[in-house]
Amino acid sequence: MNNVKINELRKWMAQKQADLAYISDPGHIAYFSGYESEPHERVLALFIPLEQDPFLFTPALEVEDAQNSSWTFDVRGYLDSENPWEIIGKELRTRYGQPGKIGIEKNALTVDRFDAISDQLVGTDDFIDLTSIIQRLQLIKTVEEKDKLIAAGKWADVAFEVGFKAVKEGITEQAIIAEIEYQLKKQGVSQMSFDTIVLAGMNAASPHGTPGSTKVTPNELVLFDLGVVWDGYCSDATRTVAYKKPTEFQEKIYNITLEAQLTAQAAVRPGVTAAELDQIARNVINSYGYGEYFNHRLGHGIGTTVHEFPSLVEGNDLIIEEGMCFSLEPGIYIPGKVGVRIEDCVYVTKDGCVPFTTTSKELRILD
């Protein structure tokens, strides 16, 4: 449970004169409560009042797990046969009375669920968005959070090595993924932070291509984009390797991408803006005439979820601060020819940054 962040949220609530915060996003619930769950269609919620004790609301089948987590306050469960919103309404009125202003996550709460909770709180029609404060709270990582991200990054390095060893002529993208995830599960990693991506040859020219039955063939590049969840925190990294000797053109595109990634990483320090970092990487690729093929942002924040605030993109003048964590992942994707992406997530220090993954970024040729 993150008491420090709960207290910081309450300070913001006091400034905004909000009586209650309703946290609905499972990742954010885990961030504040320490309880991780994917409820699917069921209702999972965290209610944090300004002054009284908070409580966690879960499906009945999760109550025991929630109580055994780091959460130290009440857990209220409900059966599938019960109406969760009626129970929530009763609990809120009993515990906190009639709230005047409620904080909600506008970027996570569906209209249907907003209507459902509004119907239970007749008389409350003043809602305030929690999105910006939660983004701000997640933006600067604590030492404990940094250590968890480092651990997750080390497992990403393990995953790369497993994947590289699996590469051979005729093996499919899906078979490589299966080997990576099987070996990690054997070692205690139960969850990837997103669907593992392995793309061979021309498939890598699609930035978020879908792995399938394509087989690895000699003299082509293979892109690996992967990460794990470790102790509630995510890793995310990308390496592109060659199977057998690459062509001169493949090697050229790889080296341009690597230069862009290393140049951006070297530029990270407090005081630079998110947009400036994006432009630094983009300038490198533009200088070689391949700017049109770098068609996504430079990076994104990372923490309890794999994509967090901020976005390192043109127009974002957010000033980088010590303790921020984000990805740096330039890529060049030329349809029908080649695709390369190189990515590390980093932790910002007082005078630079430290990557969470250490797998070499020099072009690796697998035999």
Side-chain angles (χ1 to χ4, degrees):
M1 187 173 72
N2 201 330
N3 281 317
V4 172
K5 298 299 184 180
I6 289 175
N7 289 337
E8 290 184 25
L9 175 61
R10 280 173 159 162
K11 290 178 184 177
W12 181 88
M13 291 168 61
Q15 293 172 356
K16 300 295 183 179
Q17 298 181 318
D19 303 306
L20 179 69
Y22 165 32
I23 312 297
S24 55
D25 181 270
H28 295 159
I29 291 171
Y31 179 71
F32 287 107
S33 72
Y35 176 61
E36 298 175 48
S37 171
E38 175 46 67
H40 303 291
E41 77 283 359
R42 296 184 173 94
V43 177
L44 179 70
L46 173 62
F47 294 96
I48 302 175
L50 183 58
E51 296 179 346
Q52 297 150 289
D53 287 346
F55 76 96
L56 194 57
F57 185 78
T58 75
L61 51 84
E62 296 186 23
V63 168
E64 185 174 356
D65 287 341
Q67 291 172 334
N68 290 334
S69 71
S70 61
W71 181 247
T72 59
F73 293 102
D74 284 351
V75 179
R76 175 67 162 91
Y78 76 96
L79 298 170
D80 286 346
S81 58
E82 297 178 302
N83 183 324
W85 302 106
E86 291 180 358
I87 297 173
I88 286 173
K90 182 177 179 180
E91 289 289 330
L92 292 178
R93 289 188 294 271
T94 300
R95 292 169 186 261
Y96 312 132
Q98 181 69 37
K101 181 185 289 187
I102 298 179
I104 59 172
E105 299 173 278
K106 287 187 176 181
N107 66 339
L109 187 62
T110 64
V111 174
D112 178 68
R113 293 192 172 190
F114 174 75
D115 288 344
I117 196 167
S118 297
D119 289 345
Q120 295 299 322
L121 297 173
V122 177
T124 299
D125 57 5
D126 195 356
F127 294 90
I128 187 171
D129 190 13
L130 297 171
T131 302
S132 62
I133 180 57
I134 292 176
Q135 287 178 338
R136 184 66 201 178
L137 292 176
Q138 291 183 312
L139 192 58
I140 308 298
K141 266 56 178 183
T142 64
V143 172
E144 181 182 10
E145 288 180 296
K146 180 189 73 171
D147 289 344
K148 291 179 180 181
L149 287 163
I150 290 172
K154 288 180 178 178
W155 280 110
D157 286 323
V158 172
F160 280 133
E161 286 307 310
V162 172
F164 297 165
K165 289 178 182 177
V167 173
K168 60 184 179 181
E169 186 169 355
I171 192 170
T172 65
E173 297 161 332
Q174 285 285 22
I176 296 172
I177 292 170
E179 179 66 10
I180 291 171
E181 298 188 358
Y182 170 66
Q183 292 297 336
L184 261 61
K185 286 184 187 301
K186 283 177 63 177
Q187 297 182 60
V189 177
S190 61
Q191 183 181 355
M192 308 303 288
S193 52
F194 55 94
D195 289 342
T196 302
I197 297 173
V198 175
L199 300 171
M202 297 304 100
N203 286 354
S206 175
H208 276 178
T210 301
S213 59
T214 299
K215 296 178 179 180
V216 172
T217 59
N219 314 114
E220 68 176 13
L221 302 181
V222 184
L223 186 152
F224 292 78
D225 189 352
L226 52 81
V228 311
V229 179
W230 187 257
D231 201 7
Y233 282 75
C234 298
S235 56
D236 180 10
T238 306
R239 294 292 186 271
T240 305
V241 299
Y243 177 58
K244 306 295 184 181
K245 183 176 176 58
T247 66
E248 289 186 9
F249 183 67
Q250 291 167 348
E251 195 164 356
K252 173 185 176 181
I253 296 301
Y254 185 93
N255 288 332
I256 294 170
T257 308
L258 178 59
E259 182 181 343
Q261 204 281 334
L262 293 175
T263 302
Q265 188 166 308
V268 174
R269 60 181 46 82
V272 69
T273 69
E276 286 170 343
L277 290 176
D278 179 89
Q279 193 60 56
I280 286 167
R282 209 165 294 279
N283 285 345
V284 172
I285 295 175
N286 285 340
S287 71
Y288 290 95
Y290 293 98
E292 66 180 292
Y293 301 111
F294 178 17
N295 53 15
H296 57 73
R297 63 187 175 182
L298 175 63
H300 55 79
I302 191 165
T304 55
T305 57
V306 74
H307 283 182
E308 289 188 355
F309 182 79
S311 183
L312 275 62
V313 68
E314 180 182 1
N316 185 0
D317 294 326
L318 176 77
I319 296 173
I320 301 303
E321 300 176 53
E322 183 177 357
M324 289 184 182
C325 299
F326 45 76
S327 70
L328 300 166
E329 49 181 303
I332 298 176
Y333 316 93
I334 305 176
K337 292 185 177 181
V338 68
V340 176
R341 181 166 64 254
I342 304 170
E343 172 190 16
D344 276 328
C345 288
V346 301
Y347 173 81
V348 181
T349 64
K350 63 181 179 180
D351 55 6
C353 69
V354 177
F356 295 125
T357 36
T358 59
T359 298
S360 175
K361 288 180 282 196
E362 294 299 320
L363 180 57
R364 183 163 174 171
I365 300 175
L366 305 175
D367 292 322

